[in-house]
């Protein structure tokens, strides 16, 4: 790649991200590897992995928060809560279908996400944090089980 084309590709990345993606995909399809701007391509691939992991953690925290609310505020149970539980379980299952290796990451971040979900449940419900047990109440399988609802 010439110095001039490297500058143009780098500028394209900064000025028109979508066009940069299209150009990069075209270069890859046509096996024009020497024309690729590797630094930004590597950065984008790494970013994709981080995005998947961040989405998993976000969905898991929301799911745990709603499972805790469901357990500790039975008088407030609603179809909205049921839908949110269903939706975030489904998002996690979809992530595992697309990227089975994320299941290991799920197990790795489960306890941390429980702690965040616990705090979020306290904030959203107005209940004291101490109401929600510090130790995770739910197994990894229960959290994902479409038929599991805490009593």
């Amino acid at each position: 790649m010439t110095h001039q084309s490297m500058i143009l590709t780098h500028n394209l990345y900064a000025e028109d991200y979508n066009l940069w993606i299209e150009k990069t995909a075209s270069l890859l399809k046509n096996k024009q590897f020497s024309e690729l701007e590797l630094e930004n391509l590597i950065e984008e691939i790494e970013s994709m992995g981080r995005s998947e992991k961040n989405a998993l953690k976000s969905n898991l925290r929301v799911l745990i928060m709603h499972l805790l609310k469901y357990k500790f505020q039975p008088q407030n149970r609603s179809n909205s809560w049921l839908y949110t539980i269903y939706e975030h379980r489904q998002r996690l299952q979809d992530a595992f279908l697309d990227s089975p290796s994320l299941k290991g990451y799920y197990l790795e971040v489960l306890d941390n996400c429980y702690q965040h979900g616990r705090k979020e449940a306290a904030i959203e419900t107005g209940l004291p944090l101490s109401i929600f047990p510090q130790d995770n109440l739910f197994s990894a399988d229960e959290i994902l089980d479409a038929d599991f609802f805490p009593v």
Side-chain angles (χ1 to χ4, degrees), residues 64 68 114-122 129-130 132-134:
I64 289 170
L68 288 168
Y114 176 83
Q115 295 307 318
H116 287 286
R118 178 177 168 256
K119 289 176 186 170
E120 291 166 7
L129 182 61
S130 60
F132 304 101
Q134 194 163 9

Side-chain angles (χ1 to χ4, degrees), residues 52-70:
E52 292 293 312
K53 288 178 174 181
N54 287 337
L56 183 142
K57 288 190 296 187
S58 176
N59 286 311
L60 183 53
R61 284 193 311 266
V62 171
L63 176 53
I64 289 170
M65 175 185 66
H66 276 78
L67 289 171
L68 288 168
K69 288 177 12 177
Y70 190 90

